[in-house]
Amino acid sequence: MLLRKRIAKPFYWLLPVIICFFGCGISHPAFNADKKYPLPELQRDYTIFRNILQESHPSVTWYTPADSMQYYFDWGYRQLKDSMTEPQFRTVLTYVISKIHCGHTSTRYSKKYIHYLDTARLPIFPVSIKVLDNDTVVLNNTLKRKNATLPKGTILTSFDGKPFREVIDSIGQFIPSDGYNESYLRQAVSNRGAFGSWLRLLRGWKSSYELGFIDSTGREQTTIFSLIEPRPKDTIKRIVIPDLTERLNRRERREERLYEARSLQIDTGLSTAYMTVNTFNNGNQLHSFFKSSFRELRKERIQHLIIDIRSNGGGNVNHSTYLTKMLVDKPFKIADSLYASNKRSKYGRYIQYNGITGIFMSFITKKKSDGKYHFGYYERHVFKPVNKNHYKGNVYVLTGPNSFSAATIFARAVKGQKNIMLVGEETGGGNYGNTAWFIPNVTLPETGIRFRLPKFRLVIDKDTEKNGRGVIPDIVIPPTRSSLIQNRDLKVEKVRELILSPETVSKN
């Protein structure tokens, strides 16, 4: 008992201090989101932005001719006529960077501005949209007004007095994408919260907007909607002493995170497995997941495997390559060419990991006669199928515009094999190749705005047409307005139809 008192006394003595620390916080100057940066500072940041891209980005003129990129760079500088806020300046950078047509090259707010957005409790933009293949724009959530409720799937005709399609096209001018992928651009404004986020960046938010729509009788109507104030925040601060319950909660959250990243469900009645792979990022135990999954498929003698990569934005190509090796029936390559423009940048003080990158690239790359630093391992290496637990049944890969980077490389690698069928929509990542692999952040010194700088250009197959498109599935199944309203997954329905077709059943 005496020992417990000696331990407890210091804790209770410190408790008021801890409460004061968390309750009062540390005094810092308030962040001014409306701060305007002087013109000389903006010009300095822009010059650094332009010089780094022209020096170190290997694909600035891959899809846009050099003279056109010169025009866009000059255009951006001409927009700097007076002081600007951070969002205004970022809008200029975003427009210029989108002309590179690289989906891995994008801008971000400064860390201070991100912290402001996370803590300022700003109003919520209540409208989410879905842009369909036929350019129809529909409401992707339910919008409740005092005098009416607009259900999900309502056709939208105008936004603030302008045709909705015109609004979408204007936003699309700022969205970076691999090549000229229209399906990706449609999806980029259709992702949850994306439409409102792009509006906030490009135009700033207003307190209310006019929305045109087609009502249930087929007539065009308009309504006014306002931003939604966030719920009141619980201001009572609590100090939680970690205990067994908290540790259990952490373990449960970790398991939930892993399940969201990758999962496997097996229907033994249909002899079908559904594998969801939402990322190829590290930290998700993907290698062990794939090994155990394919071992289970062999054990249960599963004849059909559905692999859903519709929400997979990419990650480590080693993980996507391993999954490919479990499925393909012949050796394959990832790259015809893979190279960087340089090992180090003279603007290295602004580029994340610049010093380490130089050392790293000295080991993995070699400068060739074209002046580029080639990653020879991937240019030469031929990957072979994995024999143990190799899957030989029917495979259906579900793809969509959010299938990007390593997910696109995977889809391209398995497409065309007799027992593998791609079902869904065009991938967001480029079929010809991409610019990625190692992507440090660049921080501009005056504003703190950041942009991603992919270092390597990948050409998967030089004999493929460089048309700026993604991987086209074998069976194209776009979403429809009715499927959105009815919450139906047409791609999964199509695969089930294929599995249950008499031809497939007879083969098995």
Side-chain angles (χ1 to χ4, degrees):
M1 180 65 70
L2 181 60
L3 180 61
R4 288 180 61 188
K5 288 182 179 179
R6 286 177 180 175
I7 294 174
K9 279 183 179 179
F11 175 81
Y12 287 117
W13 178 78
L14 286 172
L15 188 58
V17 178
I18 297 171
I19 293 173
C20 181
F21 177 81
F22 283 100
C24 302
I26 299 175
S27 177
H28 290 290
F31 177 76
N32 180 11
D34 297 321
K35 173 186 175 181
K36 289 196 171 185
Y37 291 86
L39 181 58
E41 294 182 5
L42 299 175
Q43 290 172 331
R44 183 185 178 212
D45 268 8
Y46 188 86
T47 301
I48 293 171
F49 162 80
R50 176 177 186 165
N51 289 347
I52 289 176
L53 285 172
Q54 292 181 322
E55 173 212 51
S56 296
H57 195 297
S59 302
V60 168
T61 59
W62 204 12
Y63 285 101
T64 303
D67 57 344
S68 296
M69 276 310 306
Q70 185 77 13
Y71 167 81
Y72 289 122
F73 278 125
D74 291 345
W75 175 91
Y77 193 83
R78 290 197 302 271
Q79 307 313 301
L80 311 179
K81 301 173 182 177
D82 200 350
S83 59
M84 286 182 171
T85 64
E86 183 172 332
Q88 289 172 337
F89 184 50
R90 185 189 168 203
T91 298
V92 174
L93 302 182
T94 300
Y95 181 82
V96 174
I97 226 169
S98 71
K99 303 313 170 190
I100 299 174
H101 293 286
C102 170
H104 290 92
T105 310
S106 57
T107 66
R108 295 190 67 192
Y109 284 118
S110 67
K111 291 182 179 179
K112 288 183 179 179
Y113 204 93
I114 289 289
H115 180 71
Y116 158 74
L117 293 176
D118 289 342
T119 58
R121 296 181 51 74
L122 299 174
I124 299 168
F125 191 84
V127 169
S128 181
I129 66 170
K130 175 66 177 176
V131 185
L132 302 177
D133 283 4
N134 60 1
D135 288 342
T136 300
V137 181
V138 298
L139 189 64
N140 203 18
N141 64 317
T142 299
L143 181 64
K144 293 184 178 181
R145 314 303 310 130
K146 290 182 179 179
N147 57 345
T149 296
L150 275 61
K152 183 177 182 179
T154 298
I155 296 176
L156 304 178
T157 56
S158 65
F159 184 80
D160 257 11
K162 293 185 178 180
F164 223 117
R165 186 64 237 189
E166 181 181 320
V167 175
I168 299 301
D169 288 342
S170 65
I171 292 176
Q173 294 296 314
F174 293 81
I175 299 177
S177 63
D178 277 3
Y180 316 112
N181 194 319
E182 292 295 326
S183 63
Y184 177 80
L185 293 177
R186 287 192 294 267
Q187 186 62 46
V189 292
S190 299
N191 289 326
R192 184 176 179 181
F195 179 60
S197 295
W198 280 107
L199 283 178
R200 180 172 61 192
L201 171 63
L202 304 181
R203 305 179 182 183
W205 278 354
K206 303 191 310 180
S207 59
S208 62
Y209 296 89
E210 182 186 79
L211 188 66
F213 64 96
I214 303 297
D215 67 14
S216 58
T217 66
R219 293 181 299 176
E220 186 170 357
Q221 304 279 2
T222 60
T223 187
I224 303 294
F225 72 89
S226 303
L227 300 180
I228 298 176
E229 291 299 321
R231 294 179 180 178
K233 187 177 181 181
D234 183 4
T235 57
I236 301 175
K237 297 195 177 282
R238 299 178 175 87
I239 297 177
V240 180
I241 302 174
D243 54 15
L244 179 60
T245 303
E246 180 65 18
R247 288 195 295 272
L248 287 174
N249 288 339
R250 285 200 297 268
R251 184 159 60 245
E252 289 171 358
R253 289 196 296 270
R254 178 174 174 273
E255 291 299 322
E256 183 178 351
R257 179 183 63 80
L258 289 175
Y259 182 82
E260 290 175 353
R262 77 293 186 281
S263 62
L264 180 73
Q265 293 87 37
I266 295 178
D267 183 342
T268 55
L270 280 178
S271 191
T272 299
Y274 195 105
M275 178 184 289
T276 302
V277 186
N278 286 330
T279 181
F280 286 121
N281 281 335
N282 294 328
N284 294 295
Q285 301 178 7
L286 286 169
H287 194 82
S288 59
F289 167 73
F290 291 142
K291 288 182 68 174
S292 61
S293 294
F294 284 100
R295 183 170 59 246
E296 188 69 15
L297 297 180
R298 178 189 57 79
K299 179 182 176 181
E300 297 291 340
R301 298 182 179 181
I302 298 301
Q303 298 175 358
H304 308 282
L305 172 61
I306 304 168
I307 303 178
D308 191 342
I309 59 168
R310 287 176 290 179
S311 297
N312 192 318
N316 190 331
V317 73
N318 292 323
H319 297 314
S320 63
T321 300
Y322 185 79
L323 179 57
T324 304
K325 293 193 294 184
M326 298 301 300
L327 300 171
V328 296
D329 56 14
K330 59 184 178 182
F332 65 98
K333 286 182 64 179
I334 288 178
D336 267 346
S337 65
L338 180 63
Y339 63 79
S341 296
N342 54 39
K343 291 194 294 185
R344 289 187 183 91
S345 168
K346 64 181 179 181
Y347 302 95
R349 60 189 178 277
Y350 310 119
I351 303 175
Q352 185 183 28
Y353 310 129
N354 185 64
I356 299 174
T357 302
I359 298 172
F360 175 67
M361 291 183 65
S362 295
F363 286 99
I364 67 169
T365 67
K366 182 178 180 180
K367 190 174 183 179
K368 291 191 175 182
S369 58
D370 60 1
K372 309 299 183 183
Y373 292 82
H374 286 255
F375 199 156
Y377 171 78
Y378 282 106
E379 292 181 337
R380 297 185 302 268
H381 192 75
V382 176
F383 295 93
K384 297 179 180 179
V386 172
N387 291 324
K388 188 175 182 180
N389 297 321
H390 187 272
Y391 189 76
K392 298 180 180 179
N394 298 316
V395 181
Y396 307 89
V397 180
L398 305 183
T399 64
N402 283 327
S403 304
F404 204 74
S405 196
T408 297
I409 294 174
F410 164 73
R412 192 189 193 287
V414 300
K415 183 181 178 182
Q417 186 166 303
K418 187 176 181 180
N419 66 320
I420 299 178
M421 183 174 293
L422 271 58
V423 180
E425 299 172 79
E426 178 182 3
T427 64
N431 181 56
Y432 184 75
N434 61 41
T435 309
W437 291 73
F438 179 64
I439 314 176
N441 284 317
V442 179
T443 302
L444 300 177
E446 302 295 346
T447 60
I449 290 177
R450 296 164 290 168
F451 67 91
R452 302 176 78 215
L453 179 68
K455 296 288 289 183
F456 284 90
R457 178 198 284 193
L458 164 72
V459 174
I460 301 173
D461 181 356
K462 64 181 185 301
D463 296 325
T464 300
E465 181 186 4
K466 184 168 72 83
N467 59 6
R469 297 293 300 276
V471 177
I472 308 299
D474 302 300
I475 300 179
V476 177
I477 308 288
T480 64
R481 178 171 174 253
S482 61
S483 68
L484 197 71
I485 295 172
Q486 299 168 19
N487 199 28
R488 293 172 55 195
D489 191 331
L490 300 182
K491 300 168 183 62
V492 171
E493 290 180 11
K494 181 61 180 180
V495 170
R496 182 179 177 84
E497 176 189 321
L498 292 170
I499 291 173
L500 295 176
S501 67
E503 291 182 1
T504 305
V505 172
S506 63
K507 288 180 182 179
N508 298 307

